[in-house]
Amino acid sequence: GENVEQHPSTLSVQEGDSAVIKCTYSDSASNYFPWYKQELGKGPQLIIDIRSNVGEKKDQRIAVTLNKTAKHFSLHITETQPEDSAVYFCAATFGNEKLTFGTGTRLTIIP
Amino acid sequence: KAGVTQTPRYLIKTRGQQVTLSCSPISGHRSVSWYQQTPGQGLQFLFEYFSETQRNKGNFPGRFSGRQFSNSRSEMNVSTLELGDSALYLCASRTGPGETQYFGPGTRLLVL
């Protein structure tokens, strides 16, 4: 069935260092992969997304890479700042276009 | 543009009662999806409505239902509440199928 696996579940990095979160998906027909950031008491906020016809996308300190052959995609945050601390979710759209989410990564930036 | 709004933000109910949650999408968005978020199960898809028609449905019992109005506003209803229904209920809107989804702040439901 539809499945998205996300690792790690928790991640602590020193301020200024990079953070990488990885996701794998099961359906080779998936074609849209968004990343959301959720802060305490708020709904998930889209931070970056990528479609299957692109291998990499960058937006300032945030980048996403997609490997369709291996069916995995990753979020990269460089020069991390305290405000990057949050829970991050990856997601994939399967054939019927509903989003399936990963289990989330709690990122903590250590000042 | 105003974002997705959800009302109420917090709700306390007792077992056996029913509850109705409301979602107003971003102006111009015709698709509304609902998700349940719990610490144990994560974000789980409930259903999606587009132009007043249900397009997709997740694996939830029939106690969970929804509808969408002609102005794209949506409501979801949970009948015969159980303790396990305690969760954050999130609404997301998008212009249409295949487009980016934007989430509201959620309604936190506590069932006692």
Side-chain angles (χ1 to χ4, degrees):
Chain A
E2 302 157 350
N3 191 41
V4 176
E5 291 189 5
Q6 182 172 347
H7 299 281
S9 56
T10 60
L11 179 62
S12 295
V13 301
Q14 211 69 36
E15 183 179 352
D17 287 351
S18 296
V20 181
I21 302 170
K22 297 181 179 180
C23 290
T24 59
Y25 58 96
S26 59
D27 188 344
S28 57
S30 299
N31 58 3
Y32 175 62
F33 308 90
W35 285 89
Y36 288 88
K37 173 185 181 182
Q38 188 173 24
E39 295 173 302
L40 200 61
K42 298 184 179 181
Q45 177 190 5
L46 179 77
I47 54 171
I48 196 167
D49 56 7
I50 192 167
R51 296 194 183 267
S52 59
N53 57 347
V54 176
E56 183 175 1
K57 184 176 178 181
K58 207 171 179 182
D59 182 4
Q60 297 181 29
R61 298 185 297 109
I62 293 173
V64 56
T65 58
L66 171 64
N67 184 326
K68 286 216 75 180
T69 304
K71 292 192 284 187
H72 67 70
F73 56 112
S74 301
L75 177 71
H76 304 252
I77 306 175
T78 58
E79 300 171 17
T80 52
Q81 301 167 2
E83 52 265 37
D84 294 331
S85 293
V87 179
Y88 290 80
F89 292 95
C90 63
T93 299
F94 292 89
N96 58 2
E97 297 182 9
K98 70 178 181 74
L99 277 178
T100 298
F101 284 84
T103 48
T105 296
R106 182 174 299 279
L107 174 64
T108 302
I109 307 301
I110 305 165
Chain B
K1 258 188 193 178
V4 178
T5 58
Q6 293 186 243
T7 57
R9 293 294 313 279
Y10 304 93
L11 207 47
I12 300 176
K13 291 285 187 179
T14 56
R15 278 181 298 174
Q17 287 187 311
Q18 73 160 15
V19 67
T20 299
L21 312 181
S22 180
C23 171
S24 291
I26 293 171
S27 177
H29 286 194
R30 294 166 62 194
S31 165
V32 173
S33 296
W34 289 90
Y35 295 84
Q36 181 194 66
Q37 186 175 29
T38 58
Q41 298 297 319
L43 271 158
Q44 291 192 293
F45 173 77
L46 280 155
F47 28 66
E48 179 184 12
Y49 287 87
F50 178 72
S51 296
E52 301 178 68
T53 301
Q54 188 179 86
R55 288 192 72 246
N56 285 305
K57 191 176 188 307
N59 297 323
F60 279 82
R63 299 186 296 108
F64 292 81
S65 62
R67 59 177 175 168
Q68 187 179 33
F69 302 96
S70 58
N71 62 358
S72 294
R73 192 177 69 84
S74 177
E75 288 181 347
M76 69 163 279
N77 184 276
V78 188
S79 62
T80 319
L81 284 166
E82 301 176 0
L83 296 179
D85 297 333
S86 294
L88 180 68
Y89 290 88
L90 292 159
C91 164
S93 77
R94 54 183 174 176
T95 52
E99 298 301 319
T100 300
Q101 287 196 5
Y102 298 91
F103 281 85
T107 294
R108 187 162 295 281
L109 171 65
L110 178 61
V111 182
L112 301 176

